[in-house]
Amino acid sequence: GENVEQHPSTLSVQEGDSAVIKCTYSDSASNYFPWYKQELGKGPQLIIDIRSNVGEKKDQRIAVTLNKTAKHFSLHITETQPEDSAVYFCAASNLPLKLTFGTGTRLTIIP
Amino acid sequence: KAGVTQTPRYLIKTRGQQVTLSCSPISGHRSVSWYQQTPGQGLQFLFEYFSETQRNKGNFPGRFSGRQFSNSRSEMNVSTLELGDSALYLCASSSSGGARETQYFGPGTRLLVL
């Protein structure tokens, strides 16, 4: 089955700096890669996703890149703000609605 | 539109008991997936339902079961609870269950087994 590795497990950045989280996946058939943000006491919230026919996608301060050859994808957050502090999960899917998640990255924005 | 709702939000049970959790998807969504989240194992896929049929199943024992009703609402049942079943149980819905479709998560039900 699919296996997703996520790094780093914790990340601290100064407010205003950029943060990058990286994930690798094992199943070359995976074709959908969402990123979720989870705040304390809440369910995961989709922040951006990318499909296999696209190499990069951007939404304001958030961008995701996908390298299908190397089987890795990354989340980039620019101009970080205190409200960006949360746990971020990457995921991959090769079957209808069966997501395999990474282990999460706890992002802390230092004011 | 209202988001995914889950009830109850918190639950305390003892070993050996059974529990039923409920999930109401976003209006118009027909696919519902369930996940278990624990500090040790992270987010793990339990099963997915579409039009009242289970289409995919994760690697969980038979004590974990689910069903979906004609209005797309879904329930998850865990029988003979074990301490290790303590977790946050999350439900996610999507429109038609396509392979690359966005899933929207509910707030979860936090289950504590004593």
Side-chain angles (χ1 to χ4, degrees):
Chain A
E2 175 66 278
N3 182 52
V4 177
E5 294 190 358
Q6 183 173 346
H7 299 281
S9 57
T10 61
L11 179 62
S12 295
V13 300
Q14 289 290 139
E15 182 178 352
D17 287 350
S18 296
V20 179
I21 303 170
K22 298 182 179 182
C23 290
T24 60
Y25 61 98
S26 61
D27 191 340
S28 56
S30 288
N31 52 22
Y32 175 60
F33 308 92
W35 285 88
Y36 287 88
K37 173 184 181 182
Q38 188 173 27
E39 296 174 314
L40 199 60
K42 298 183 179 180
Q45 176 191 7
L46 180 76
I47 55 171
I48 196 167
D49 57 10
I50 192 167
R51 291 165 176 82
S52 58
N53 56 340
V54 175
E56 184 174 359
K57 183 176 179 181
K58 190 174 181 180
D59 182 5
Q60 299 183 332
R61 298 186 297 110
I62 295 173
V64 57
T65 58
L66 171 64
N67 183 327
K68 287 214 73 179
T69 303
K71 289 191 277 187
H72 67 70
F73 56 114
S74 301
L75 176 71
H76 304 253
I77 306 174
T78 59
E79 300 172 11
T80 53
Q81 301 168 3
E83 53 265 37
D84 294 329
S85 293
V87 179
Y88 291 80
F89 291 94
C90 63
S93 172
N94 60 358
L95 289 172
L97 280 304
K98 181 181 179 181
L99 292 173
T100 300
F101 284 86
T103 49
T105 296
R106 183 173 299 278
L107 174 63
T108 302
I109 307 302
I110 304 165
Chain B
K1 277 185 180 178
V4 177
T5 58
Q6 293 187 245
T7 57
R9 292 293 311 279
Y10 304 92
L11 208 49
I12 300 175
K13 293 285 188 179
T14 56
R15 279 183 299 173
Q17 287 186 310
Q18 74 167 18
V19 66
T20 299
L21 312 181
S22 181
C23 171
S24 292
I26 292 171
S27 178
H29 284 192
R30 295 168 60 195
S31 174
V32 173
S33 298
W34 289 88
Y35 293 82
Q36 181 196 64
Q37 186 175 25
T38 61
Q41 299 298 318
L43 279 151
Q44 293 186 289
F45 173 79
L46 280 156
F47 30 66
E48 184 254 347
Y49 286 86
F50 179 74
S51 292
E52 303 178 64
T53 300
Q54 186 183 90
R55 292 195 301 185
N56 284 308
K57 190 176 187 303
N59 297 323
F60 279 81
R63 300 185 298 106
F64 292 81
S65 63
R67 61 178 176 168
Q68 186 180 36
F69 302 95
S70 58
N71 62 358
S72 294
R73 189 177 69 86
S74 178
E75 287 182 348
M76 190 193 95
N77 185 76
V78 187
S79 62
T80 319
L81 284 166
E82 300 177 359
L83 295 179
D85 297 333
S86 294
L88 181 66
Y89 290 90
L90 293 159
C91 162
S93 78
S94 79
S95 179
S96 59
R100 302 189 294 176
E101 209 166 270
T102 299
Q103 290 189 57
Y104 298 92
F105 281 83
T109 294
R110 186 164 296 281
L111 171 65
L112 177 62
V113 182
L114 301 176

